[in-house]
Amino acid sequence: MNAETVELVLANRQFVWGLIARGFAEEPDRAFAEIIASEHAFEEIALVEDEWSTDMAALFNAAVARLGGSPKETVESLEAEADELARAREDYTRIFVGPNTLLASPWETMHTTGKRVLFHRDVLSVRDAYRQAGFLPERYRHVADDSIGLECDFMAKLAADALTAFQEGEAERCQDRLLQSLTFLTDHLLRWIDSLADAVETHYPDTFYAAFARFVVVWCYRDEALLNRLLGSCEGSA
C-alpha cells in the first residue's frame, strides 16, 4: 500500500472502532443514531467490504435499521426512529446493565472461563495491555477492565494514535500501535466476541445489539487481516 492508501485505511479504522466503542460504551442517544445512520458511516463501511467481509455492509444496514435510521431521513421516519431509539435504550440497560441477570455477559473473562465472577484474575492481562500501551480507564479500580465497552474503546484509542503517528511521520510509533492492536485483538477480543454475539442473538433477538454485535464480529476478523497487511506500511510516512 502506498502512503495515501495507508492513511485512508488508518483513518477508516479510527472511525469504525470509534463507532463500535461508542455503541457498546453507553445507551444510544440521538447523536449516536445520527452518526451511525449517516452517509459518511455507510461510506466508511463500504471501504472495507471485500473478500473477507462480503456481508459487512448488510450486517451494518441491519443494525442501523433497528435504530430506525437510514442514510436519508424523511419527516415521516422521525417518529418511528424515536420509537426505535427509545427501545434500543431500554435494550441496552437490560442487556448490559441490569438489574436482572445479564444473559449475554459483557465481560471477557465470563466467556473465556465460564465463571460468573467479576475481576477474575485473568482480567489482569487486559489491564496489563492497557498499562503497557499507556492507557488505563479512569475508574479502573472500580470497573472491570474486560468489559466489551472498555476493550473496544482501547482499540479505538490505539487506532486514533496510529493514524496520528503516521500523519506526523513517526513510523515506529505507528508500527507499535498497530502491533499492540493486533496483539490485543488476537489475545482478547477474538477469543470471546463470537460468544458474546451468539449470546445476544440467542437471548435478545430482534434488538439493535444482536445485529450490531454480529457486525462487530465480522469487523474484528476483517481488522485482524487488515492489521497484518498494515504492519510495515508505516515506513516512509510523511
Side-chain angles (χ1 to χ4, degrees):
M1 287 185 278
N2 59 35
E4 183 177 353
T5 301
V6 170
E7 184 172 1
L8 179 65
V9 172
L10 292 175
N12 175 258
R13 291 188 67 252
Q14 178 190 32
F15 177 84
V16 177
W17 274 118
L19 195 67
I20 291 171
R22 171 59 185 84
F24 282 127
E26 57 185 306
E27 61 186 22
D29 57 14
R30 174 68 182 172
F32 174 71
E34 289 179 349
I35 292 172
I36 200 172
S38 67
E39 291 188 12
H40 177 64
F42 281 81
E43 290 168 356
E44 291 288 349
I45 299 305
L47 284 176
V48 291
E49 187 89 7
D50 58 21
E51 66 270 23
W52 288 292
S53 53
T54 55
D55 55 348
M56 184 175 291
L59 291 169
F60 185 76
N61 291 348
V64 172
R66 291 180 183 179
L67 276 183
S70 64
K72 296 181 180 179
E73 292 182 341
T74 64
V75 173
E76 293 77 12
S77 72
L78 293 179
E79 184 175 343
E81 180 181 347
D83 291 341
E84 294 291 345
L85 182 57
R87 187 176 298 112
R89 291 168 67 87
E90 294 174 357
D91 289 338
Y92 182 88
T93 298
R94 68 189 181 100
I95 296 171
F96 299 116
V97 180
N100 297 324
T101 300
L102 304 184
L103 301 177
S105 172
W107 298 287
E108 175 186 337
T109 52
M110 290 192 186
H111 290 265
T112 57
T113 68
K115 299 177 180 179
R116 298 190 65 82
V117 179
L118 278 177
F119 297 100
H120 188 278
R121 64 178 179 275
D122 286 3
V123 80
L124 294 177
S125 64
V126 179
R127 183 173 297 176
D128 285 343
Y130 296 164
R131 182 181 290 111
Q132 290 170 13
F135 300 113
L136 274 181
E138 290 183 5
R139 300 181 64 238
Y140 78 94
R141 294 184 185 276
H142 308 286
V143 178
D145 304 73
D146 62 336
S147 74
I148 185 62
L150 289 181
E151 291 197 1
C152 290
D153 183 63
F154 180 57
M155 291 294 295
K157 285 181 168 61
L158 291 176
D161 199 51
L163 173 61
T164 299
F166 184 84
Q167 292 172 332
E168 294 176 352
E170 298 185 21
E172 184 175 354
R173 182 173 131 219
C174 180
Q175 293 249 16
D176 286 345
R177 290 312 196 195
L178 293 176
L179 183 57
Q180 288 165 346
S181 300
L182 180 60
T183 300
F184 191 80
L185 191 61
T186 55
D187 288 354
H188 295 287
L189 273 169
L190 284 177
R191 294 181 61 214
W192 71 292
I193 191 64
D194 286 279
S195 177
L196 174 63
D198 289 345
V200 176
E201 288 177 329
T202 297
H203 299 290
Y204 309 99
D206 302 322
T207 66
F208 163 73
Y209 293 98
F212 188 66
R214 185 54 58 191
F215 158 72
V216 174
V217 169
V218 176
W219 165 257
C220 284
Y221 284 102
R222 173 66 182 92
D223 199 41
E224 179 188 31
L226 187 59
L227 284 165
N228 277 303
R229 292 168 60 191
L230 278 170
L231 278 167
S233 296
C234 289
E235 293 295 344
S237 60

